[in-house]
Amino acid sequence: KAGLGVPLSRTRGVVCGRMPKGTGKLKGRTGGGRMKAKSKSHWAAKAGLGKAATRAFQIAGLPPPTRTSGAPGAGSKGVKSKKQKAKGKRGANAMVPYKPGQRILLVGEGNFSFAAALAKICGGASGIDATAYDSEADAGTKYPDLEEHTATVLGTGGAVHFGVNGVRLHDCRELTPPYDSVVFNFPHCGLGVKDKVRSVAMHQQLVIDFARSAAQMIHERGEIHITVKRGEPYDTWAVPKVILTELPALRLKNSFDFDPLRYPGYTHRRTLGFEEGISAEGNDEIVKEGSKTYIFSARPPEHT
């Protein structure tokens, strides 16, 4: 993850500048304080019955059946609120935008489990450069499963780099652009700033500076991927808006839900590290509200 105010660091031969939710109401005209009753034929129609069946129930003096619970037009238990519907749709358009043979630069890897997952998906990590802001020693202290994941990446042809500043990628001489994709999942400054306005401004600047540097690391058809959580304060970051405002040479090419289940073995970790019994297990933090990936690319020359 990204941070601020850290001096130059050398690890594994890498020298890189480091910087700092309801149902609709029944409506009807009222008279004498009472709502007019709907006819049996009306409710039969709502239940999806034909005219013949409706007439049969009327003759028998029986109330027609309603739709089964959960079907459109059912009672309150079967009707989903807008919030429930939106939550149900999350992940519906999720995808894995990576293919074997691509050159991929991963930024801000915590425990390197995303890099290891890509190695499995792509049949190896050849072409993958996975980087972390932390030194190798610090990352090892924060993430107990670090060695397991880095071994997967290194053992399948990928590269692992520590001490890489995500907003100064173009200054890291160990990286070898151009790349097909430069990826930063869940960017965070790693600072516990309580002032909401200041915190939002810091993270907006973080994603802007990352995108500016990443744009120098891709080829003309390359992509910049940024994944952020839904909900607050992340929605207020307004990632697409601030990047497109500050970097008009970029365009928003695509966006889709981020589904961690599509990356076998991936486990989201906070910038501060993982502590047994305190930190959220698995991907609980990003599954609860959902997350979204934004893909940016360079605008055609005539539009810049």
Side-chain angles (χ1 to χ4, degrees):
K1 307 294 182 181
L4 304 170
V6 183
L8 292 174
S9 174
R10 178 189 296 271
T11 57
R12 290 200 187 181
V14 179
V15 180
C16 300
R18 301 183 69 183
M19 65 169 283
K21 293 168 172 174
T23 62
K25 294 182 178 179
L26 182 63
K27 295 182 179 180
R29 292 186 296 177
T30 60
R34 295 181 300 174
M35 182 176 289
K36 288 186 178 181
K38 299 283 187 178
S39 69
K40 292 180 180 179
S41 60
H42 169 82
W43 297 116
K46 293 288 284 184
L49 299 176
K51 291 183 178 180
T54 300
R55 181 60 179 162
F57 276 100
Q58 289 176 331
I59 293 174
L62 298 174
T66 59
R67 293 179 185 268
T68 56
S69 177
S76 60
K77 292 184 178 180
V79 180
K80 294 183 178 180
S81 66
K82 291 182 179 180
K83 186 174 182 180
Q84 288 173 321
K85 289 178 180 178
K87 188 173 183 180
K89 291 180 180 179
R90 290 175 186 169
N93 71 335
M95 58 182 289
V96 176
Y98 310 107
K99 300 177 182 178
Q102 289 184 325
R103 298 205 66 233
I104 304 171
L105 173 59
L106 303 179
V107 177
E109 285 288 283
N111 60 357
F112 287 83
S113 62
F114 186 79
L118 276 192
K120 297 172 184 176
I121 292 172
C122 296
S126 178
I128 297 178
D129 281 345
T131 72
Y133 176 75
D134 292 315
S135 68
E136 185 174 2
D138 287 344
T141 300
K142 287 182 177 182
Y143 311 108
D145 53 352
L146 176 76
E147 188 174 348
E148 171 192 349
H149 299 309
T150 55
T152 297
V153 177
L154 294 171
T156 55
V160 169
H161 308 286
F162 294 90
V164 178
N165 182 0
V167 303
R168 304 292 300 177
L169 300 169
H170 53 286
D171 287 339
C172 186
R173 57 178 178 266
E174 292 298 319
L175 302 179
T176 56
Y179 293 93
D180 293 295
S181 302
V182 179
V183 185
F184 199 170
N185 291 324
F186 307 103
H188 200 279
C189 292
L191 301 174
V193 179
K194 295 183 178 181
D195 186 315
K196 182 178 179 180
V197 174
R198 181 169 171 243
S199 177
V200 168
M202 289 175 61
H203 287 94
Q204 288 179 328
Q205 194 61 52
L206 170 63
V207 295
I208 290 170
D209 291 343
F210 159 71
R212 180 181 288 113
S213 181
Q216 302 176 54
M217 305 295 286
I218 58 176
H219 54 69
E220 60 182 9
R221 295 180 304 280
E223 299 176 343
I224 300 169
H225 299 190
I226 302 178
T227 299
V228 293
K229 298 178 186 177
R230 282 192 171 96
E232 292 299 338
Y234 314 101
D235 291 347
T236 307
W237 294 3
V239 171
K241 181 178 180 179
V242 297
I243 288 179
L244 297 178
T245 299
E246 295 296 321
L247 304 173
L250 296 179
R251 68 184 179 97
L252 181 62
K253 183 178 180 179
N254 196 6
S255 65
F256 49 84
D257 295 328
F258 177 86
D259 183 2
L261 294 178
R262 293 176 180 259
Y263 300 92
Y266 170 66
T267 51
H268 174 72
R269 292 291 179 260
R270 285 192 170 190
T271 306
L272 298 178
F274 180 81
E275 188 172 348
E276 190 73 35
I278 298 179
S279 301
E281 294 287 346
N283 296 302
D284 293 350
E285 286 192 10
I286 59 176
V287 170
K288 184 178 181 180
E289 294 294 335
S291 307
K292 194 161 190 174
T293 297
Y294 299 97
I295 296 184
F296 301 89
S297 63
R299 289 184 181 275
E302 63 269 21
H303 296 293
T304 57

